[in-house]
């Protein structure tokens, strides 16, 4: 992991590692504008992971003991859900008991509290989850990935003609994406999809890296899928194992890799460009970072916001309530075209089954695109009204912290 470094202006400084710069700082000009609107000096601690916290704290002490005296410290760490410890699907290892997984992660990430307690200025943690609260911390919702998509995906008029009916892009091999692949690959329409899946050759588990092949898939899945396994029956797990053994020769599947957003690859400039999977497909399956949380967890990243910004119909393999959240924000989620009943199901396994049923219904539907309707969603995404609906409350909450 790269060591943190300091950057910024007289009124707005960052302590971050390079991946934090790329992924969470958005455009630094965005934060410079925040400092200007607040008319305060702000310090932003941003990092892709938790592992640099001791170094970050050392940099913070050196900086604030010298010439820079911030009025507000913004902690912008890994924006995966529950950054107080329950970081993501991949971090919980092979624990059969969900509460045990949570408790373990809380202990592992105790350094966050150490960092928080050692910041003497007014401080706030930003969370991408609008439902996240914790009595110990000041947490406010910051829709990181809306702003990220807004800034990096060029406003595009939907093209008249599209070749594929369905697309689904996957880079990091998360448990739910392994599950989705094992379901999609057996469908007749899979060969006509615009599909990608990278990075299945080497996956991280609690006991270390496992180079997966036909003999080690079950062991790798057992450790890697973590809490996702809690919700799956032995029959479903056996289906995943058997399917991957049969279809392993297909992977990895790569499409226009350089157009996919990969901030951790230092040889590729960060990009949220619209690649052919979006411009040449009618509907998208957004396989979100986190899907297994039972209820009251909305964590929407650029994976979902990209098809929204392009006006496309889309499915979201995400936490329950994600579609409802977008609907409440005024986005057209194509309820008359897509069966989003899966979004209300809190049980992970049932939700995945219902989602696949909805996808099959759509693929059997003789759907005719309404380009004017798609344009309206594009206009809503990029409208000043939508932007300000996220930005203005955020500024007001920051003012209340200072």
């Amino acid at each position: 992991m790269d060591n943190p470094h300091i950057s910024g202006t007289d009124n707005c400084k960052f302590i971050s590692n390079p991946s934090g710069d790329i992924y969470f700082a958005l455009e630094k000009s965005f934060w410079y504008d925040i400092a200007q609107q607040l008319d305060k000096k702000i310090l932003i601690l941003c990092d892709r992971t938790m592992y640099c916290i001791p170094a970050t704290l050392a940099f913070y002490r050196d900086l604030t003991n010298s010439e820079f005296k911030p009025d507000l410290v913004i902690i912008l760490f890994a924006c995966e859900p529950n950054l107080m410890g329950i970081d993501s699907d991949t971090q919980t290892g092979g624990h059969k008991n969900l509460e045990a997984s949570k408790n373990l992660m809380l202990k592992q990430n105790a350094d966050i509290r150490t960092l928080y307690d050692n910041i003497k200025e007014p401080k706030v943690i930003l969370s991408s989850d609008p439902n996240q609260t914790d009595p110990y911390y000041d947490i406010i919702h910051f829709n990181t990935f809306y702003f990220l998509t807004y800034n990096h995906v060029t406003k595009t008029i939907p093209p008249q003609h599209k070749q594929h009916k369905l697309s689904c892009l996957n880079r990091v091999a998360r448990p739910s994406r392994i599950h989705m692949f094992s379901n999609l690959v057996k469908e007749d329409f899979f060969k006509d999809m615009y599909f990608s899946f990278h990075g299945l050759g080497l996956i991280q588990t609690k006991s270390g890296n496992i180079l997966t092949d036909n003999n080690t898939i079950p062991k790798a899945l057992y450790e890697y899928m973590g809490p996702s396994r809690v919700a799956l029956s032995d029959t479903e797990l056996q289906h995943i194992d058997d399917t991957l053994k049969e279809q392993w020769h297909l992977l990895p599947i790569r499409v226009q890799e350089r157009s996919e957003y990969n901030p951790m690859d230092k040889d590729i400039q960060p990009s949220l460009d619209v690649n052919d999977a979006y411009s040449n497909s009618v509907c998208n399956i957004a396989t979100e970072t986190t899907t297994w949380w039972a209820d009251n967890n909305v964590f929407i990243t650029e994976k979902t916001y990209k098809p929204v910004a392009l006006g496309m119909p889309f499915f979201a393999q995400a936490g329950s309530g994600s579609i409802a959240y977008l609907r409440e924000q005024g986005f057209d989620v194509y309820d008359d075209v897509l069966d989003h009943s899966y979004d209300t199901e809190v049980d992970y396994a049932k939700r995945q089954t219902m989602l696949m049923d909805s996808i099959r219904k759509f693929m059997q539907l003789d759907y005719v695109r309404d380009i004017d309707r798609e344009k309206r969603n594009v206009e809503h995404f990029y409208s000043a009204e939508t932007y300000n609906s996220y930005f203005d409350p955020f500024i007001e909450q920051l003012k209340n912290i200072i």
Side-chain angles (χ1 to χ4, degrees), residues 192-211:
D192 298 319
M193 284 183 60
Y194 208 117
F195 183 86
S196 73
F197 205 157
H198 306 181
L200 264 179
L202 185 68
I203 60 179
Q204 287 187 330
T205 70
K206 181 172 176 287
S207 60
N209 292 335
I210 293 180
L211 183 62

Side-chain angles (χ1 to χ4, degrees), residues 9-21:
T9 65
D10 290 341
N11 291 326
C12 179
K13 291 193 181 296
F14 300 84
I15 299 177
S16 61
N17 66 25
S19 61
D21 276 353

Side-chain angles (χ1 to χ4, degrees), residues 331-342:
F331 295 110
D332 184 353
V333 296
Y334 293 85
D335 284 309
D336 58 322
V337 178
L338 308 178
D339 178 5
H340 287 306
S341 58
Y342 63 89

